[in-house]
């Protein structure tokens, strides 16, 4: 993504020291992160990364939520992951020197991101073991969730996936506060809006 599209934020990493990633890190690492990164804002629905495009950066969510999704040749989107504050994305792409982004990422809400160039990210990753460890802890946790999602797609029917989605998003009283459409649900469970409507 072209840097000129970024809306630079006035926030600093000290504003997000409540996130687990920043807790108990040495001042030297904090200063390195501050010197090598920038903080940017995105509006809801705004694209951050486009699938198939050249890449240049890696990101950490500081505030808000983003969706990672792929788009089929027919134009249908499937949401691979919902990322929250503290989650990283585009890490593997940077580390592996991939030629293009394997998925798209968009802002689901007002979003603030910590942004590194791939070169600066790799320098920190190679030279700051605690930085590398915390990044990989986050990636590892997300890999577990992705495996569970793949298992659901392989083993559950659409009805089963829809039921699991409702259970996962409901509170103890059975109320879902996320304002989602049939199309939103379809993107998350691997089907189309019409099937969600019929199944409900």
């Amino acid at each position: 993504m072209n840097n000129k599209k970024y809306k630079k934020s006035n926030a600093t990493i000290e504003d997000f020291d409540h996130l687990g990633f920043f807790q108990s890190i040495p001042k030297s690492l904090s200063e390195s992160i501050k010197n090598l990164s920038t903080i940017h804002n995105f509006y809801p629905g705004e694209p951050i990364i486009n699938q198939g495009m050249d890449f240049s950066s890696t990101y950490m969510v500081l505030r808000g939520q983003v969706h990672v999704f792929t788009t089929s040749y027919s134009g249908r989107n499937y949401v691979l992951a919902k990322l929250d504050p503290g989650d990283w994305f585009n890490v593997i792409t940077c580390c592996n020197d991939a030629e293009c982004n394997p998925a798209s990422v968009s802002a689901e809400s007002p979003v603030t991101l910590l942004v590194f160039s791939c070169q600066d990210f790799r320098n920190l990753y190679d030279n700051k073991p605690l930085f590398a460890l915390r990044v990989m802890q986050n990636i590892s946790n997300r890999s577990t969730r992705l495996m569970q999602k793949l298992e659901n797609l392989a083993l559950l029917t659409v009805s089963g996936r829809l039921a699991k989605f409702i259970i996962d998003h409901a509170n103890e009283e059975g109320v879902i506060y996320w304002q989602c459409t049939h199309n939103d649900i379809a993107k998350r469970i691997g089907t189309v809006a019409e099937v969600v409507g019929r199944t409900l």
Side-chain angles (χ1 to χ4, degrees):
M1 185 173 178
N2 193 318
N3 286 344
K4 70 181 180 181
K5 295 184 179 180
Y6 291 156
K7 290 170 289 299
K8 194 167 183 178
S9 171
N10 293 324
T12 66
I13 64 170
E14 286 83 5
D15 297 325
F16 305 97
D17 58 7
H18 59 282
L19 295 178
F21 184 89
F22 295 116
Q23 292 178 2
S24 302
I25 64 173
K27 185 176 180 179
S28 60
L29 175 54
S30 178
E31 288 298 319
S32 294
I33 292 173
K34 186 187 300 186
N35 292 335
L36 294 175
S37 66
T38 52
I39 296 177
H40 299 275
N41 295 324
F42 293 84
Y43 298 117
E46 188 173 5
I48 300 168
I49 290 176
N50 292 314
Q51 182 178 348
M53 300 295 288
D54 293 342
F55 71 92
S56 60
S57 304
T58 189
Y59 312 79
M60 176 182 168
V61 182
L62 296 175
R63 183 188 291 123
Q65 293 181 334
V66 304
H67 277 179
V68 181
F69 63 95
T70 59
T71 304
S72 69
Y73 288 111
S74 63
R76 193 174 84 185
N77 293 335
Y78 176 63
V79 177
L80 299 171
K82 180 185 73 173
L83 305 185
D84 298 309
D87 285 336
W88 287 83
F89 61 95
N90 223 37
V91 170
I92 305 301
T93 306
C94 274
C95 289
N96 289 346
D97 288 326
E99 294 182 358
C100 61
N101 295 306
S104 299
V105 181
S106 65
E108 177 67 11
S109 65
V111 167
T112 302
L113 299 178
L114 188 69
V115 184
F116 291 87
S117 72
C118 281
Q119 180 177 350
D120 288 337
F121 175 83
R122 285 195 294 262
N123 287 339
L124 269 180
Y125 191 90
D126 291 340
N127 297 300
K128 300 289 185 180
L130 181 58
F131 178 84
L133 176 62
R134 294 203 173 178
V135 171
M136 291 313 300
Q137 284 173 335
N138 180 251
I139 299 298
S140 177
N141 290 337
R142 295 226 320 271
S143 295
T144 300
R145 298 200 298 267
L146 181 59
M147 289 301 295
Q148 292 171 344
K149 190 164 190 174
L150 291 173
E151 181 179 343
N152 291 335
L153 283 173
L155 301 179
L156 295 179
T157 63
V158 172
S159 297
R161 298 201 298 272
L162 179 56
K164 188 175 187 308
F165 175 89
I166 292 172
I167 291 170
D168 289 345
H169 288 78
N171 64 15
E172 294 180 355
E173 298 175 351
V175 178
I176 299 176
Y177 288 98
W178 183 39
Q179 296 181 350
C180 54
T181 64
H182 289 178
N183 193 48
D184 292 329
I185 297 173
K187 291 177 183 178
R188 297 291 294 278
I189 67 173
T191 185
V192 293
E194 292 77 8
V195 173
V196 170
R198 289 199 302 269
T199 306
L200 285 171

